[in-house]
Amino acid sequence: MIKLTKLNDANFYLNCEQIEKVECHPDTTVTMMNGHVYIVKEDIDILMEKVIEYKRSFFNLPDQKGWTLSGYFKCCRFTSRNCSNSFGSRR
């Protein structure tokens, strides 16, 4: 689980295994597989860094040089060009 911040500054933990998509319009909106929607203060890049950090610790992976968000997005079929686009959409 990853720690996020609601717009009212309340912290909460989110199961990042259940994220369906993340959008930025203009606030970061996280939609879960069950349809629940969370609006958080963290931007998309910070959110993805937290997810990658969680996955790395969960699978006990070393911090590899050259590991970038674009590499992660490619292998997971995510796209993130700028904040106006979403990632995690099924194609």
Side-chain angles (χ1 to χ4, degrees), residues 15-72:
N15 182 354
C16 61
E17 299 292 335
Q18 297 295 311
I19 296 174
E20 181 177 347
K21 67 180 178 177
V22 177
E23 299 172 297
C24 187
H25 46 78
D27 297 319
T28 304
T29 305
V30 181
T31 304
M32 307 302 286
M33 288 183 188
N34 64 5
H36 287 113
V37 175
Y38 299 94
I39 301 173
V40 297
K41 282 189 168 186
E42 290 80 6
D43 65 19
I44 288 178
D45 292 333
I46 299 296
L47 179 67
M48 287 311 302
E49 287 293 338
K50 289 183 178 213
V51 170
I52 290 169
E53 183 180 325
Y54 166 79
K55 297 272 189 185
R56 187 176 287 137
S57 69
F58 184 80
F59 292 109
N60 198 22
L61 298 173
D63 186 13
Q64 299 177 5
K65 291 183 180 179
W67 180 267
T68 63
L69 283 176
S70 62
Y72 183 80

Side-chain angles (χ1 to χ4, degrees), residues 3-12 39-42:
K3 185 178 181 180
L4 297 174
T5 309
K6 294 181 182 179
L7 294 180
N8 66 359
D9 291 326
N11 292 323
F12 70 104
I39 301 173
V40 297
K41 282 189 168 186
E42 290 80 6

